[in-house]
């Protein structure tokens, strides 16, 4: 695995942007591995992802911010620097359905997900065994009608304690509070079992079956304070037939949920996702 | 092309149904070409499509109804008999966008669509030339705010005059009245340029772009008195990227619309579609 | 779960077939749950799958064969009777790659796969832990250049001892001998990591990358004595881009392999697959 | 429509490449609209597509080559400059099947294909009427066993006379000679009705049916002197069922062929395709 840095930039679209960034990197002898950019003309916005090899890069990374600041200021950039050597710390929230959890853990074990998983948080005991199989601490925080605030406080204490950068809701069946969503803005990824914006809210497979759609879908998105409305990272669909019952849809949907969620998580961890407005750009 | 008959049946699910139908056909020496059935347990409903060769069939088709009536009554069947020798008469409604019309006419010319097309009705002159290329009468019925009722009366007179069995709205940009929809219940197929029920109503590509979905879709459905709510016959989707503008989606969507509409029309013409409740069964 | 019987039939296509079968079942008061049939005109072949509820079925299943024999003889049927109460016994062969194994075991645990798994056989120790997690005996049979015959003898002794009905090669990296393939004809399901017949044999992802294809695929098929040539049960593909290296294809392909193999296994276990000639019919 | 220039570059991958190109364009005040690049590490190759607005660009395009030459030489670039104001001139070759031709002409008419179509060449009269509908000269050059060389000479004379930049074989049923393929290297796009490299050569739908594959495909590629072996531009597949006959596959395949071919042609015309070695990069 290469030791790389990735720069994610968004700013007003101006001439000379690419030249300025490329010159800066060339000055320090960067070997660019990937570069991708996008201009949104309607929003007058320039978005860029650029990744380079740190081997042979002549700027000490501790000095990067100071060196890059003049360019960033000149163009009014919002920017983030990500280093492959720093593995994000990801918490998984789960309830009783374990298929997304099992899938994420196996991918992590296989090396597909470039992160650490310091803990799993659940409102039920059911998934403890699989967490232990992969050697990951499993915390049960019971959530009921009357203790939502306390439960979230306990969850957030755990997240802070473990230095968590990203939360994945792997079919976690509780709605996060507005305060929680705001505190972890664009840092909570959820999987919804429909092709949003169709069938927002509860029981989407039942409603898809009742409506007689010919495809079912799944959507992974960042959580915002509005339910099932955050910026979409990935979606996919699969064909169904009249022969399939709601239970069949649930079963078939598990494959969609697993794949759509894992793609979104991987892209986030690979620093490929830029949120702007209500939308995402996923650089490939 | 074989000379066949197709029976479409729906009735309460009872034992002995298949035996009764199969015995009836065997009695008259039918060579069954295709048979497919579906039980909807929730609705206690049995749905069947059975097609047989009329070569060697020992019952005169003029006598079919009388011969089959006892079975139909015994099981409380709703049934329709379709003969391949009788080509349905299909009218196409179109406005200015011609891509679906061009596609349907070429498929019809190629033999994919087993129908006659006695006329095309439009609220604009634009598509006259392509209609004439295929030798199909083209009628312009102008539709404005103030003459909707008169325009529909004129359209319906044309439909009656030409003995039309099926109407295809090939991106026809006017909403049919409730009276029209009711009169041609399950006989009007529309193409909507979204993955229904997402983005019902106007400008779905604009709204898909604004919402940041990762796939766009198209849906063909029977028209009912509620806009974009009728039984869905077919849907499909295609992936889009952040690079694509609304105009790109419109262009890409044309391929979806063409294909989804043409499938729905072909299946209807092949007597593969059974409507029940708010849904369809498409026998393959 | 209902207690059902499923009849799989293939025979020359003759008139009266459906009536005979339907009458037979109706005589014994069968409640038919699913029925599907297919006629292959070129091969003059009739293929049928019919499943009925054993609750209320008036024929003792011990007497089924004797009762059905006259019909089977009259039409020259090859037929198999499967009962949902009898769970097939499935062995999984695996080497070092564990993704298909993990997927199959999780699906089995979730109830998606209606079978028992009395043992897993491997030529390596690597997957023992995951087998033990699900409580399934794990047998290592080392396979080298010089002991292929002995290794297969040991494997086959295990299969016989455990009454195995179906063998799934979950990325098992050894080729079975002709004798083995013949002994378990249409009872060994393999997953090949290409869209067969493209890229038969070794290293298909490397060859797909070198050829510059725009989609990669996976194929599950019954094993025959000719490598990668048996009847195909299921295939699927996924889009790739020029940005993806061979390693990326390998990673992306794992999702395809898992899903394609699990579908094939589930359909086989649900008695939906009929082999005829070089092909399969998968009744849905 | 904007007045733009597009630069397509391939060269050994060296540091400073992006900076050099970006600086060059910035010097002349270019407003970059799209930029995409790809590094192939195995081949040590850098590939780039960059498009900018000519409005406000301060370099006269007649002087571009001289101005850019030092950079091109320094990095050993192969490069092409394409201007949106220059519409490529595309000839279509067709035989009797007209579905791809009809599709291309309608897309061209709608503005999807940024080209001129000075002529259509066929070995049959059948498609003359559709050519005339769109007002495009239609030339019949009969091709038989004994006049292949003369026929190609006549075709090539027509291509030269009409200044043709691109040839599209829209289900043209003759194989071009090695000499023809070489003369129009990477300038002839063919559509093959299979998922190459499966079913190279004749009658792919028949062979797909016989092999029992579960998906059929289509492939558009540049023609080389080896049949069905040129660099692939685009592929797609569609699912088939055991119910479908060879004739059904042919019909279903027409939709695949139309869409896959039209994508390849559009991408070529939009200067999105770079060939390297045996492969293409399609910049999106």
């Amino acid at each position: 695995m290469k030791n790389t840095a990735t720069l994610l930039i968004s700013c007003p679209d101006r001439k000379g942007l690419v030249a300025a960034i490329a010159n800066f990197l060339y000055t320090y002898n960067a070997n660019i591995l990937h570069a991708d950019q996008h201009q949104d003309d309607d929003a007058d916005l320039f978005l860029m992802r650029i990744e380079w090899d740190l081997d042979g890069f002549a700027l000490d990374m501790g000095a990067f911010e100071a060196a890059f600041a003049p360019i960033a200021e000149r163009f009014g950039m919002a920017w983030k620097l990500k280093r492959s050597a720093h593995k994000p710390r990801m918490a998984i929230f789960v309830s009783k359905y374990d298929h997304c959890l099992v899938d994420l853990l196996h991918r992590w074990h296989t090396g597909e997900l470039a992160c650490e998983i310091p803990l799993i948080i659940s409102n039920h005991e059911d998934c403890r065994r699989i967490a232990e199989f992969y050697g990951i601490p499993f915390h049960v925080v019971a959530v009921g009608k009357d203790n939502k605030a306390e439960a979230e406080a306990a969850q957030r204490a755990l997240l802070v304690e473990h230095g968590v950068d990203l939360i994945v809701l792997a079919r976690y069946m509780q709605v996060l509070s507005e305060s929680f969503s705001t505190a972890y803005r664009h840092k909570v990824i959820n999987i919804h079992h429909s092709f949003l914006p169709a069938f927002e809210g509860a029981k989407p497979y039942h409603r898809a079956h009742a409506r007689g759609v010919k495809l079912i879908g799944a959507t992974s998105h960042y959580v915002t304070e509005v339910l099932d409305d955050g910026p979409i990272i990935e979606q996919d669909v699969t064909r169904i037939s009249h022969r399939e019952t709601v239970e069949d849809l649930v079963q078939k949907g598990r494959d969609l949920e697993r794949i759509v969620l894992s793609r979104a998580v991987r892209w986030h961890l690979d620093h490929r996702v830029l949120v702007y407005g209500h939308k995402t750009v996923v650089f490939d």
Side-chain angles (χ1 to χ4, degrees), chain A residues 250-268:
Chain A
V250 169
Q251 177 178 309
K252 208 166 197 172
R254 285 199 292 258
D255 279 330
L256 272 177
E257 296 163 27
R258 273 187 278 244
I259 281 183
V260 168
L261 178 59
S262 70
R263 282 186 200 144
V265 171
R266 188 165 62 241
W267 295 339
H268 179 100

Side-chain angles (χ1 to χ4, degrees), chain A residues 188-247:
Chain A
V188 184
I189 297 177
N190 184 44
I191 179 73
H192 184 78
H193 41 314
S194 86
F195 180 77
L196 289 175
F199 309 122
E200 292 169 348
K203 292 202 171 288
Y205 291 133
H206 289 77
R207 289 151 64 205
H209 190 261
R211 180 64 186 88
V213 295
K214 303 300 187 187
L215 304 163
I216 54 168
T219 304
S220 57
H221 62 94
Y222 289 113
V223 171
T224 61
E225 56 286 357
V226 182
L227 186 69
D228 298 336
D229 187 58
I232 292 169
I233 308 169
E234 172 62 342
Q235 305 187 284
D236 216 337
V237 299
T238 196
R239 191 161 282 271
I240 56 172
S241 97
H242 56 269
R243 286 183 190 84
E244 291 177 89
T245 63
V246 171
E247 290 68 39

Side-chain angles (χ1 to χ4, degrees), chain A residues 4 21 27 49 52 56 61-62 77 86 89 99-100 119 128 136 145 164 206 208 219-220 232 235 240 257 284:
Chain A
T4 72
I21 298 164
T27 301
R49 179 187 189 275
W52 67 96
M61 291 307 282
M77 291 178 182
H86 171 80
R89 294 172 68 78
H99 56 284
C100 285
L119 80 165
R128 182 180 295 278
I136 297 172
K145 283 179 198 162
V164 164
H206 289 77
T219 304
S220 57
I232 292 169
Q235 305 187 284
I240 56 172
E257 296 163 27
D284 48 20

